[in-house]
Amino acid sequence: MKDSVIDLLKMEKTIEESFAVLNEESRDLFLPRSIPELYEVPTAMEFLRDYVSKNIPLIIREGCTWPCITKWSSQYFRETMENKPVKVALTPNGYADGIAEYKGIEYFVMPEEKTMTMGQFLDNLNERSIPVNYIQTQNNNLIMDFEELLVDIDDSLLNFAKEAFNKSPDACNFWMGDERAVTSMHKDPYENIYFVVSGHKDFILIPPTDVPNVPRKKYQSAVYKTNRNGQMEVEPIFDDHKKPIVIEWVSIDPLNPDLDEYPSYDEAIKYEVRLNAGDMLYLPSMWYHHVRQSHKNISLNFWYDMDYDARYCYYKMVEKLCGYGS
């Protein structure tokens, strides 16, 4: 028994040392000191060679010249679609799809969804109403729900991405909300081309090589619900067999990290970038990101399914060594 414990401790130390090597080698050989920036859209070959193949983000300043950059605003939407029904995410704190404590228990909580007119949504933004309102359905809503806006978008600008990824986007999403709406730290299995149309977005980015330094836990899923008194409560979600539906999610808030509980997070390589109106961001697959925004921000993003290649296999192996994943 004693030998088994010693062997286990040696193995744990070896894994910990291996993670330290991964972090050090990533800093020295692979990751840039800051996120690269261009002032013109690259060719597909340049984009693929210098960024996609290396899994490195890219900012293209003032790269978007679509009509939406100058046309879209609260006033424009009020004049053109005042009575249009829109799906809106409602939360008491601005955190949709994030961790919240309710009656002493932490849950992964999804927003309540409500259909209202665009005019009512804009009124709520002006009043900074509670609950916090955010258009963020992430279900290809630009195509499915806002087709009248497509006239202000020339998708030929995305040809460099389409050629580099060798595919069309799986989803095209429209986002609009106020400064209280925050996207909690997470990662996506998509190559992401992100545009800011109005206002600004602030990103915290962490590379996939920092999986060991970005803590995750399993939480019971829940959803916000408005009770008869008009207050938002957390309603846990169960499957058909009345068992809790559990999801694994990042357990640290990068705006207020608990380094006593998660000291390794201090070793994570973090980038902070701001996108202004007209700026584009290439956010590679599996990069962790946390997002804040200015008031009445309008953004678009285009998700391209990632390639499940050798890098993904290595990533899943490291996840498993960390004790994460299914």
Side-chain angles (χ1 to χ4, degrees), residues 38-238:
L38 298 176
Y39 278 86
E40 59 181 8
V41 176
T43 66
M45 177 60 73
E46 292 169 338
F47 181 54
L48 178 61
R49 180 192 63 206
D50 297 335
Y51 306 102
V52 179
S53 66
K54 298 177 182 179
N55 199 236
I56 294 292
L58 170 67
I59 297 170
I60 306 174
R61 296 292 184 193
E62 303 173 7
C64 182
T65 57
W66 287 338
C68 62
I69 300 296
T70 55
K71 287 178 63 176
W72 292 1
S73 65
S74 295
Q75 186 60 35
Y76 175 78
F77 293 145
R78 198 177 289 279
E79 292 172 355
T80 58
M81 55 180 76
E82 172 85 15
N83 297 314
K84 178 184 177 65
V86 295
K87 296 176 184 176
V88 179
L90 306 178
T91 60
N93 55 11
Y95 281 79
D97 301 333
I99 308 304
E101 184 175 314
Y102 182 67
K103 294 184 178 180
I105 300 174
E106 287 188 320
Y107 295 90
F108 171 78
V109 191
M110 294 171 284
E112 180 175 19
E113 286 195 349
K114 181 178 180 181
T115 298
M116 63 182 73
T117 65
M118 176 60 84
Q120 181 61 60
F121 169 71
L122 295 173
D123 289 342
N124 291 346
L125 288 187
N126 286 335
E127 297 166 6
R128 287 174 166 79
S129 67
I130 298 295
V132 178
N133 285 225
Y134 195 22
I135 296 178
Q136 58 110 63
T137 46
Q138 306 169 56
N139 61 348
N140 202 31
N141 66 343
L142 178 62
I143 306 296
M144 303 300 293
D145 301 332
F146 294 97
E147 64 279 357
E148 61 267 75
L149 297 179
L150 296 177
V151 67
D152 297 323
I153 295 172
D154 178 5
D155 62 4
S156 66
L157 177 62
L158 291 167
N159 283 347
F160 78 101
K162 181 179 180 180
E163 291 179 27
F165 300 138
N166 195 31
K167 63 191 74 173
S168 297
D170 277 7
C172 311
N173 298 311
F174 173 91
W175 310 74
M176 186 174 183
D178 70 25
E179 78 282 359
R180 296 170 298 169
V182 177
T183 302
S184 64
M185 181 71 77
H186 71 288
K187 57 181 173 57
D188 296 311
Y190 290 102
E191 306 285 3
N192 193 351
I193 303 292
Y194 205 102
F195 296 81
V196 172
V197 176
S198 177
H200 67 259
K201 289 262 188 180
D202 291 324
F203 289 78
I204 298 174
L205 306 177
I206 299 177
T209 47
D210 264 312
V211 170
N213 297 320
V214 181
R216 283 144 62 179
K217 287 184 180 178
K218 291 183 178 180
Y219 301 90
Q220 180 173 358
S221 296
V223 64
Y224 286 115
K225 292 290 185 181
T226 303
N227 63 26
R228 62 183 61 186
N229 297 320
Q231 298 175 326
M232 300 204 83
E233 296 181 340
V234 172
E235 182 178 288
I237 300 175
F238 300 87

Side-chain angles (χ1 to χ4, degrees), residues 99 185-186 206 210-219 248-254 257-259 261-266 268 270 288 322 324:
I99 308 304
M185 181 71 77
H186 71 288
I206 299 177
D210 264 312
V211 170
N213 297 320
V214 181
R216 283 144 62 179
K217 287 184 180 178
K218 291 183 178 180
Y219 301 90
E248 189 175 77
W249 202 255
V250 174
S251 53
I252 197 165
D253 179 359
D258 185 347
L259 298 180
E261 184 172 0
Y262 306 113
S264 66
Y265 180 75
D266 200 35
K270 310 170 192 71
Y288 290 97
C322 293
Y324 301 143

